[in-house]
Amino acid sequence: MQITEAGTTASRRFGPLASRQPTTFPAPVARWSTELGYAVREVAWLADHSAVLALTEAGQLVCLSAADGRPSWSETGGNMCLSASPGAPIVATGHLDGILRLRNAHTGKAVAQQRLGKTWIEHVSWSPDGHWLAAVAGPTLFLLDEVGRLIGSCDSQSAGIAGLSWRADSGAVALATRSGVQVVPVPGSVATTPEPSLPLSGGLALAAVAWSPTGRHLAAGCSGGGLVSWLLLSGAERKAGSQVKTGRTLSWHHAGSRLAAPLGSDIGIWEVAAAGVRDSPKRLAYHPVDVEYAVFQHRGDLLASADAAGTLALWNPVPCTLPLGVYPFGSGITALTWMANDCCLALGTRGGRVAVLSIAG
């Protein structure tokens, strides 16, 4: 594959970063920043932490060195979504023409592909154990194995699927639909599976879904605002929080004890009790505009939040109510993800920048 770096520049500095943090919290180190020329849709880390994958709104997929941000390969051709395997150097991409493709993430070479229909693929996600791959095209969920062989498919109970979330044991997938959450078990799974449908009352459509690390709770954000959760095995639905905009993400603390979600320009932190997610969240206020992302570390306690104006904030939400640090990037942050070992953050912006920060503390 011919690699071109035309229009791409990389540097080790972001320029001035206004920050505000106590001296007990070391400031994050800006590793590098790379300009791709188009708004960034998604970013993902490779399992070995050697590179960051970035997908732009123009459909370009670029692999950037984690050390300095230099591109090692790029590919264009209607890429719509991506997911990096948690256990192998494989990236899955969904395309406008209904093709799902697996690539060697180190070289960019395609190793497998499946045509899943004529509808473009909107979501793709590896299971936590890396043995399964879920892909969504229109109203249909497709399940593939780790080498890209199609295992089966399932039509949703409504016109479309807004998002999906894997259970921590990789035994089931939860789908966010217009009518509620649909749970699809993986064939051959021996783990206990909740009811296959968790209906949503009140006529609200779901925009995102997140399964708790313990497998006991499902939470979903409504497209019109607000949070709904279910205590599994009972199927009981609980509405929580104010009916305000919930951004792009729902994020569970790794212990399953709290849930973070954007609430307009604030961040809501819901505590979780035996009966389920509590009704009223603790609110963290700093961002001047709508928060797009609020993401907990995989194993740590830090929370990263990002807003539509390009401000990144780091928090320790228990017990702090003020950010540990605030860092402006000048353009709305459109993608945000932690490295698996929580040592770095990768982000993308509406202006086409991909950046990596090293996090200490």
Side-chain angles (χ1 to χ4, degrees), residues 137-156:
T140 305
L141 170 73
F142 296 89
L143 187 67
L144 302 94
D145 67 12
E146 57 196 340
V147 296
R149 292 176 299 200
L150 185 62
I151 302 301
S153 63
C154 175
D155 287 335
S156 71

Side-chain angles (χ1 to χ4, degrees), residues 121-220:
I121 299 173
E122 299 179 77
H123 308 283
V124 61
S125 177
W126 287 96
S127 63
D129 63 9
H131 293 160
W132 306 99
L133 183 63
V136 171
T140 305
L141 170 73
F142 296 89
L143 187 67
L144 302 94
D145 67 12
E146 57 196 340
V147 296
R149 292 176 299 200
L150 185 62
I151 302 301
S153 63
C154 175
D155 287 335
S156 71
Q157 298 166 355
S158 64
I161 300 171
L164 62 89
S165 176
W166 281 95
R167 197 166 63 196
D169 65 2
S170 301
V173 182
L175 308 177
T177 74
R178 291 184 179 276
S179 57
V181 170
Q182 184 175 347
V183 177
V184 181
V186 170
S189 173
V190 297
T192 301
T193 303
E195 293 297 320
S197 178
L198 298 169
L200 178 66
S201 63
L204 299 173
L206 299 184
V209 62
W211 214 314
S212 74
T214 63
R216 288 178 50 82
H217 303 92
L218 271 168

Side-chain angles (χ1 to χ4, degrees), residues 23-97:
T23 57
T24 55
F25 181 79
V29 175
R31 274 196 181 183
W32 52 261
S33 174
T34 295
E35 303 294 332
L36 298 183
Y38 296 96
V40 178
R41 178 180 290 174
E42 296 185 56
V43 291
W45 290 94
L46 294 195
D48 61 5
H49 309 159
S50 65
V52 174
L53 295 161
L55 175 63
T56 73
E57 291 288 351
Q60 181 184 27
L61 179 65
V62 184
C63 185
L64 304 167
S65 166
D68 58 16
R70 293 185 180 276
S72 58
W73 58 267
S74 65
E75 191 269 341
T76 58
N79 294 285
M80 290 288 292
C81 53
L82 72 86
S83 181
S85 169
I90 298 293
V91 56
T93 52
H95 295 253
L96 277 168
D97 57 6

